Amino acid sequence: MSTGNLGDNIIEEGSFYEGVKRQIDCFAADAGTADAGPTFLGADMPHNPIEWEEHDLELLLVESRKRNVPMIVGSCSTTGTDSAVDRYADIIRRLATKHKLEPFKMALIYSQVSKEELQRRLKDIEPLEAPYELTEEVLNETTNVTASMGIEQIVHALEEGADVILAGRACDDAVLAAYPIYKGFPKGISLHMGKAAECASLVCWPQMVKESIIATVTKEYFSIEPMHPAQRATPHSVAAHSMYERTNPFVQGVPGGILDMHESEYVAETDRITRVYGSKFVPSPDGTYKVKLEGAGEVGYRVYHLVGIRDTRAIANIDQILKDTRKKVSQIIGPNRDNDYQLYFHIYGKNAIMKDFEPQEQITSHELAIVIEAISKDQELATSVAKCAKFRFFYMSYPGQMNSSGGSVALLTDEPLYPKNKCYRWTVDHLLRLDDPLDDKIFRFSFETVRGR
């Protein structure tokens, strides 16, 4: 049974309790994503409200213990750092006491990797999406690094008799695929099921958030069935979800090989259930086992200002206005010789979303919102840059101008906006080759008996 990204909103209880009426063999939930950006990994902090995560964990724990079936959670608290695994473990212990649960075995799988360990293994590391080699210098600019485990580490915990598994950073599909693979079902079918089902109700039409689904794995196929009565898992919806978040829609890289979906067939079992046949796991040709490394490092302080423009003549000349503003900031603040600061303009109403990839050159917006973003290791400098850029919009000059200074500018607030956390960037997006998937310098296991009474 899959319930969607754990703690990102809360599980909708109606479809969840409809699902638990069935024979459930395993409850599994992915709880992480890199989509949240580098800040949460860099700062080692939770992305979701803790009460949301506790709500979801409580539903899964209570129902899995009632049935004496495994509960598996991967990428705890979004980032899967060691502190995130420990945070979830504390919640599970409290919930066991709250519900007076019978003793059960809990496995904690840690996947945060020390920078010192990575420095010793630089020869075994290669770029994935990062456009550079991993070096000691890059590691020195990094605060936290995790390794994304595959199914092997979770299967090991199951083999050790774990009833509840809380895993650090993990491949999304592995969290759901591990149990059927552990039970002997085909790896390709199981991994494709994991990819299709990890977002739960987002694999169905119409899309809904945090509604539960049932995924069934057999030797020949897997199937998806939504538990919300208004949803349908169609061949179209399951295929569409199988293809998202990848550069090649038919191939998914996983530790130890690839999930090959070139021959996958999507067949309607009913108007609400879809079966998928033909998915294969292809081992790495050279037999290597590689895991993805994710790392984030601190850039500095970030300061925002918001400027609104309503004059259509200014809007028509916005590119030149921004160029003039950037030039004037440089004159007033001083030369930025050592990249002491970074200044960005996000133009909502023009190309804030796709930037240079935006295909629509001509805009018809009657107003624009410009988010001024300044970044520097010196917070006072970042503030000065943001303020200076904001003030320059009061004195912009452009063809056809019909108002005095300031007449074309509106401010949400005159105060600079300071995010709670510093600015972070992705520093590590690489692959680490392992001789053993259970390498204890990369993946560490802790087993304990949790007693609720």
Side-chain angles (χ1 to χ4, degrees):
M1 184 172 180
S2 175
T3 57
N5 193 281
L6 191 145
D8 184 3
N9 292 298
I10 61 173
I11 294 172
E12 296 292 343
E13 296 188 17
S15 61
F16 177 80
Y17 285 115
E18 182 63 31
V20 297
K21 295 176 182 178
R22 310 291 187 88
Q23 179 180 336
I24 305 298
D25 297 308
C26 178
F27 291 82
D30 168 48
T33 179
D35 295 348
T39 295
F40 299 96
L41 175 59
D44 194 8
M45 60 176 291
H47 173 262
N48 303 318
I50 297 300
E51 57 268 25
W52 292 5
E53 298 188 319
E54 185 161 343
H55 171 274
D56 286 6
L57 288 169
E58 185 167 19
L59 291 180
L60 296 175
L61 178 65
V62 170
E63 294 302 323
S64 66
R65 298 321 312 138
K66 280 182 181 179
R67 290 156 182 75
N68 195 29
V69 299
M71 165 187 164
I72 304 171
V73 177
S75 297
C76 290
S77 204
T78 304
T79 61
T81 60
D82 290 358
S83 68
V85 174
D86 289 337
R87 187 180 306 118
Y88 273 25
D90 286 341
I91 293 173
I92 292 295
R93 296 182 191 107
R94 291 200 309 270
L95 291 172
T97 300
K98 174 182 175 180
H99 292 278
K100 298 181 172 58
L101 299 179
E102 295 291 337
F104 59 88
K105 188 171 185 177
M106 180 166 68
L108 310 181
I109 311 176
Y110 297 100
S111 65
Q112 189 170 345
V113 188
S114 74
K115 294 187 290 184
E116 293 74 21
E117 185 62 32
L118 293 178
Q119 286 175 354
R120 288 191 286 270
R121 300 185 185 220
L122 288 178
K123 62 180 177 57
D124 296 323
I125 300 174
E126 64 189 78
L128 180 58
E129 295 295 331
Y132 48 79
E133 299 288 335
L134 187 60
T135 64
E136 187 171 342
E137 181 181 7
V138 172
L139 287 172
N140 288 337
E141 296 173 351
T142 301
T143 51
N144 295 304
V145 185
T146 59
S148 297
M149 70 186 75
I151 59 99
E152 292 80 6
Q153 298 77 22
I154 299 172
V155 167
H156 174 70
L158 289 167
E159 291 172 341
E160 292 296 312
D163 301 302
V164 173
I165 299 173
L166 303 179
R169 192 70 171 111
C171 297
D172 300 351
D173 38 24
V175 178
L176 279 73
Y179 183 76
I181 292 172
Y182 162 68
K183 298 298 287 185
F185 290 92
K187 198 168 185 178
I189 291 173
S190 299
L191 284 168
H192 193 168
M193 178 279 297
K195 178 57 186 169
E198 51 101 1
C199 286
S201 50
L202 294 185
V203 74
C204 304
W205 296 122
Q207 289 196 338
M208 297 180 181
V209 178
K210 296 304 291 283
E211 303 288 355
S212 298
I213 65 170
I214 300 291
T216 301
V217 178
T218 74
K219 297 289 187 181
E220 292 78 32
Y221 66 86
F222 75 87
S223 66
I224 300 289
E225 179 183 1
M227 292 296 100
H228 192 287
Q231 283 199 296
R232 296 175 297 125
T234 68
H236 183 178
S237 71
V238 178
H241 197 75
S242 299
M243 295 177 183
Y244 94 122
E245 288 190 332
R246 57 174 55 86
T247 54
N248 185 327
F250 302 107
V251 174
Q252 168 77 25
V254 298
I258 62 169
L259 168 62
D260 185 346
M261 295 172 285
H262 283 92
E263 298 180 12
S264 298
E265 296 182 50
Y266 303 82
V267 180
E269 178 180 328
T270 70
D271 64 341
R272 300 186 66 251
I273 304 173
T274 284
R275 293 181 179 182
V276 181
Y277 297 84
S279 306
K280 301 175 182 177
F281 171 73
V282 181
S284 302
D286 56 2
T288 57
Y289 186 91
K290 299 176 182 179
V291 295
K292 180 187 178 186
L293 299 173
E294 292 178 351
E298 181 182 306
V299 177
Y301 295 92
R302 178 188 282 137
V303 181
Y304 291 112
H305 259 300
L306 301 177
V307 174
I309 296 178
R310 178 64 174 77
D311 188 327
T312 55
R313 297 175 182 83
I315 292 173
N317 291 278
I318 190 62
D319 291 338
Q320 185 60 47
I321 289 170
L322 295 181
K323 184 177 179 180
D324 293 343
T325 300
R326 187 179 295 278
K327 180 179 178 180
K328 199 64 180 178
V329 169
S330 179
Q331 292 173 353
I332 295 172
I333 298 297
N336 192 16
R337 296 190 182 93
D338 299 318
N339 200 28
D340 292 329
Y341 68 84
Q342 300 169 54
L343 175 60
Y344 302 98
F345 299 111
H346 308 283
I347 317 167
Y348 285 87
K350 189 172 186 292
N351 62 352
I353 308 303
M354 296 183 68
K355 304 293 185 184
D356 293 338
F357 294 102
E358 176 57 62
Q360 184 170 326
E361 296 183 7
Q362 296 296 323
I363 60 172
T364 58
S365 306
H366 67 281
E367 61 182 9
L368 297 178
I370 301 174
V371 178
I372 301 167
E373 179 184 20
I375 301 171
S376 175
K377 292 185 181 299
D378 183 332
Q379 188 173 27
E380 290 187 6
L381 177 58
T383 301
S384 295
V385 170
K387 284 184 175 180
C388 184
K390 176 199 71 172
F391 279 125
R392 296 316 307 172
F393 281 98
F394 284 92
Y395 307 113
M396 57 187 176
S397 179
Y398 47 90
Q401 187 171 0
M402 300 180 65
N403 56 278
S404 61
S405 63
S408 300
V409 176
L411 300 179
L412 178 65
T413 174
D414 196 49
E415 298 176 85
L417 305 175
Y418 298 96
K420 176 182 177 182
N421 301 293
K422 290 184 178 180
C423 178
Y424 291 82
R425 69 180 180 93
W426 293 115
T427 54
V428 181
D429 188 359
H430 294 71
L431 292 174
L432 169 64
R433 185 177 69 253
L434 299 179
D435 294 329
D436 179 4
L438 302 184
D439 187 323
D440 62 6
K441 294 293 192 299
I442 306 300
F443 300 110
R444 289 154 287 118
F445 294 81
S446 175
F447 295 92
E448 65 180 90
T449 300
V450 179
R451 292 181 170 83
R453 59 174 69 184

